[in-house]
Amino acid sequence: MNTRRDFLRKMGASALMLQLGSITSFSSAANQIGKPYEGRVLRVAIMGLGGYGTRVAEAMKACTKAKLVGVISGTPSKIKAWQARYNIPEKNCYNYDNFDLVKNNPDIDAIYVITPNALHHNQVIRVAKAGKHAICEKPMALNAREGQEMIDACKNANVKLLVGYRMHFEPRTLEVLRMRNVGDFGKVMFFQAQCGFKAGDPSQWRLNKALAGGGSMMDIGIYAINGARYMVGEEPVWVTAQETKTDPLKFKDGVDETIQFQLGFPSGAIASCLSSYNISHLDRFYLSGEKGFAEMQPSTGYGPIRGRTHKGELNQPITTHQTVQMDEMATIIFDDHRPAIPVNGEEGLKDLKIIDAIYQAAETGLKVKVKG
């Protein structure tokens, strides 16, 4: 199956295992030099044992503050394989029907939901009702209404809701944001994001509206939307969008093939973005200010991220994104740490509101105001 994750895996292919063996969390580097970490460890169960779930599990081997302790899957054979591979006890294994029973399991602190988009809403709400912290893959839900319901459910249960925004902890990305914050680029005028690849197997869930909620916009497009927000450093107030579909048999009604969209920000900055399931080799960010620029390519792949600014090449440490993410999320959950770029449910909701507006703009041809 040729999916977004297959595509990104190819872009960063050999880096994962090399990184797992030699590079640990950027944020936890001090622990590797000094005494071992002795604080609380976030005990995580992964729900959805597919390709990305496996990548997260492998990356967590290098974590110092998080540990894989449980699994949730609808496929018994996968559960058995993961038990053997990651030494997971039988009492920490659940299926999609009975995972509510995790409320009686004190050995699991959080559940990472890595399932098709349409399942996130109900599954996260069930996780919250079971009294466990929820980590959810992006997009957090199919629309803003669902996202708000997930936020409310977690607040009512007094548990945290975090979203798998791994780029929010990536060192070279954070360096660009640091440079912007200290004024190295001057006033930001323009941002461009190009995110795309050729989707493969037409029977995959990502091309099924009932499971995906859309097409490229609900998958690779989330990187362009979220990237525009954190690179510009503002929230967009309007969007315009245009959809192009060349293969209606593969990309059926409600499954977008390619969408170009534009964002307007309060300062006057603008963004021009593209999300596609039918254009290969697109993984680039470009930020332009009155005094300088930043370019990242690859900008969101699994690694290594590469980039340059008007001051030269970015050379911050290369990390395994998911290792850093899970260690950082442990500090957010246990210590109420606030990262440079939020990864909470409210952050996910902002992206969903923009997605709603983009689809409306593409359908109507109108400039659409983004709801606050």
Side-chain angles (χ1 to χ4, degrees), residues 74-240:
T75 307
S77 61
K78 286 186 178 181
I79 292 177
K80 291 297 182 183
W82 278 53
Q83 278 188 270
R85 186 170 183 175
Y86 300 109
N87 193 29
I88 295 172
E90 182 70 30
K91 68 182 182 63
N92 290 354
C93 299
Y94 301 88
N95 58 48
Y96 295 135
D97 293 326
N98 70 6
F99 78 82
D100 306 271
L101 297 176
V102 74
K103 66 182 178 182
N104 301 317
N105 190 336
D107 295 330
I108 295 175
D109 301 309
I111 296 176
Y112 194 161
V113 177
I114 311 177
T115 55
N117 304 337
L119 306 181
H120 293 176
H121 173 260
N122 288 341
Q123 288 173 340
V124 165
I125 290 175
R126 288 172 65 185
V127 168
K129 289 181 177 179
K132 304 299 179 180
H133 301 292
I135 304 170
C136 184
E137 253 314 298
K138 55 195 179 301
M140 188 173 77
L142 297 187
N143 52 56
R145 176 189 58 78
E146 284 191 354
Q148 185 62 60
E149 290 174 355
M150 294 159 70
I151 292 171
D152 292 342
C154 289
K155 285 184 176 179
N156 290 338
N158 198 30
V159 296
K160 284 187 168 64
L161 170 58
L162 306 179
V163 185
Y165 289 115
R166 58 189 168 81
M167 301 311 300
H168 292 199
F169 308 110
E170 197 281 315
R172 298 182 183 189
T173 300
L174 292 176
E175 172 60 12
V176 173
L177 269 60
R178 185 199 67 79
M179 292 179 66
R180 185 203 68 208
N181 289 341
V182 299
D184 284 344
F185 304 123
K187 181 181 179 182
V188 174
M189 305 298 295
F190 175 72
F191 174 75
Q192 183 181 58
Q194 300 168 336
C195 302
F197 65 96
K198 281 187 174 287
D201 181 3
S203 66
Q204 64 181 281
W205 70 262
R206 289 175 181 81
L207 301 183
N208 180 338
K209 187 177 188 301
L211 290 175
S216 68
M217 182 56 56
M218 297 297 291
D219 187 4
I220 197 74
I222 193 75
Y223 289 97
I225 293 170
N226 195 249
R229 293 177 48 235
Y230 65 67
M231 293 288 278
V232 174
E234 300 179 52
E235 298 301 329
V237 292
W238 59 258
V239 307
T240 53

